[in-house]
Amino acid sequence: YNQALDVTDEGIWEWDIATDEVFWDDKWEEIFGEINQRHTFNSWGGRLHPEDQENTLQALNDHLSGDTARWQAEYRVKIADGSWMWVLGKGQVIEFDEDQKPARMIGTISDITDLVLLRRMLSFHERQFERVLNLLPVGVWIADKTGTLVKSNPMGPKIWGAEPYVGMEEYGVFSARRLPSGEPIAPDDWALAHTITEGVTVEGELLEIDAFDGVKRIIENFTAPMFDENGNIEGAVVVN
């Protein structure tokens, strides 16, 4: 088990609640810079980032009081070089005293610094994506791999007069004619339906739509498939 832990960013710990002693494995003693020292609950708590203390300790108290089956928290902890490391702590009370109060708790600790940084980077890009969508002077709709409309920017509902988040089997709610022929579009003949089922891109389709607010509008319709890393369709983008 120790060999398995050595090749991961995970460690084990034990807390003797009665004596208030905390025991870390060798790897994490080295990371914390407290080799062969006596560790206590307070010495661990003193390493918590001030912004994370309240939530981390509240989660621990919830477990000790029996409100949760185990303790789990993501928090920052100061390590030997003075920097802050994001960790995922998990633990569970495994022994109780004669009064049925928690006596011993064991658990694991994992370095999740890279994961947290990745989350923040993804969150930043998502926010940037949302800003771009909101500023575009065209309507943008996102469909999942089944053809269900799942998202739009603010201009999309302005053009269509509603937010019709419907599946492919409900495309009949849309009413439009191709221009200049005036040919009505059948539910299964929408560009989005072809994009999802055939993977084709449709550009510059001129349509007269009966918007849901009762107004007829002329739009230019574009659709394009989105593929996953294996080349399978995972959704589509519609631009009006």
Side-chain angles (χ1 to χ4, degrees):
Y1 184 66
N2 285 332
Q3 287 177 331
L5 290 175
D6 282 342
V7 297
T8 69
D9 290 323
E10 198 166 85
I12 54 176
W13 54 267
E14 177 182 342
W15 178 24
D16 186 328
I17 301 174
T19 65
D20 195 32
E21 285 191 286
V22 178
F23 303 92
W24 303 96
D25 63 13
D26 294 341
K27 175 182 177 180
W28 280 85
E29 277 205 335
E30 185 175 344
I31 290 174
F32 286 158
E34 294 185 349
I35 300 175
N36 297 323
Q37 296 185 37
R38 183 177 183 270
H39 314 302
T40 66
F41 176 80
N42 286 333
S43 66
W44 166 76
R47 290 181 170 275
L48 298 180
H49 193 284
E51 294 178 3
D52 302 329
Q53 286 184 359
E54 182 177 355
N55 290 338
T56 303
L57 297 178
Q58 182 60 56
L60 179 60
N61 288 331
D62 289 343
H63 176 62
L64 294 176
S65 63
D67 293 336
T68 57
R70 69 174 180 174
W71 169 71
Q72 178 170 317
E74 294 182 4
Y75 57 92
R76 285 162 289 184
V77 61
K78 183 172 286 188
I79 60 176
D81 63 7
S83 64
W84 295 102
M85 175 188 287
W86 275 99
V87 299
L88 171 63
K90 298 179 182 180
Q92 188 170 30
V93 174
I94 61 168
E95 285 185 9
F96 297 85
D97 60 22
E98 61 269 15
D99 297 323
Q100 292 303 302
K101 292 182 179 179
R104 189 158 70 100
M105 186 172 175
I106 62 171
T108 61
I109 185 171
S110 308
D111 179 3
I112 59 168
T113 304
D114 290 342
L115 177 61
V116 171
L117 293 177
L118 178 60
R119 285 180 189 161
R120 289 183 171 182
M121 182 180 68
L122 289 175
S123 177
F124 169 77
H125 287 299
E126 286 176 356
R127 292 195 303 272
Q128 294 294 87
F129 176 66
E130 289 290 335
R131 292 190 185 105
V132 171
L133 276 183
N134 292 340
L135 289 172
L136 286 175
V138 296
V140 179
W141 301 85
I142 307 294
D144 65 17
K145 63 182 180 181
T146 70
T148 300
L149 294 165
V150 296
K151 184 180 180 64
S152 70
N153 70 343
M155 186 59 70
K158 286 184 179 180
I159 291 173
W160 278 95
E163 295 180 312
Y165 296 127
V166 297
M168 196 180 300
E169 69 282 358
E170 301 171 281
Y171 284 0
V173 301
F174 299 105
S175 175
R177 292 155 297 283
R178 302 184 192 280
L179 295 179
S181 69
E183 174 194 0
I185 299 177
D188 61 353
D189 198 28
W190 279 94
L192 178 57
H194 291 290
T195 295
I196 291 294
T197 57
E198 304 165 26
V200 298
T201 297
V202 177
E203 298 181 355
E205 186 180 45
L206 196 62
L207 307 176
E208 181 185 48
I209 66 170
D210 298 319
F212 293 94
D213 57 4
V215 178
K216 295 183 187 297
R217 295 186 175 94
I218 296 176
I219 68 169
E220 202 170 7
N221 192 47
F222 299 78
T223 62
M226 297 186 293
F227 299 97
D228 63 19
E229 62 274 11
N230 297 316
N232 300 313
I233 294 177
E234 63 177 2
V237 179
V238 181
V239 177
N240 300 145

